[in-house]
Amino acid sequence: MKVTAEKNEKVANMIFATIYPLYLNRLEKNGRTKEELNQVIEWFTGFDHDTLQALIDEKVTFRTFFEKAKINPNEHLIKGVVCGYRIEEIEDEFELYKQCRQMEKLIDELAKGRKMEKILREEKNKN
């Protein structure tokens, strides 16, 4: 599927605090914890627990959420399909949409029981 400017804008204007409980509910149904969710979000965005909670309390949009984030340098290792979109094929002009899908991919893997060390991607040593 192709991302459109309208779809990108719709996601940009969604309130993170309304989506976070949906992520958490899905994970808890699959035996995962809020701490694990926050660990994945911190790896991806650099937000510690207090910063994440402040953003939730402020009811920031996904646009603001990702503007404030320090995206992990290994984010390019997040590949695959989520919600019908192949992450690595999302155009650069839709960076926010891509970041949202990347985060959802990490959460998806957590829900499916993938090991945390596999979710929190690291470059393989080239030695």
Side-chain angles (χ1 to χ4, degrees), residues 1-8 85 90-91 94 97-98:
M1 291 199 308
K2 297 283 279 177
V3 180
T4 62
E6 296 77 26
K7 191 171 283 285
N8 190 66
Y85 293 89
I90 297 174
E91 295 91 346
F94 302 122
Y97 193 85
K98 183 175 190 172

Side-chain angles (χ1 to χ4, degrees), residues 23-34:
Y23 292 153
L24 183 58
N25 187 36
R26 176 166 181 234
L27 290 173
E28 287 177 341
K29 281 185 192 168
N30 288 289
R32 302 312 282 254
T33 66
K34 181 177 182 176

Side-chain angles (χ1 to χ4, degrees), residues 1 31 61 105 117:
M1 291 199 308
T61 62
K105 178 73 174 166
E117 55 270 15

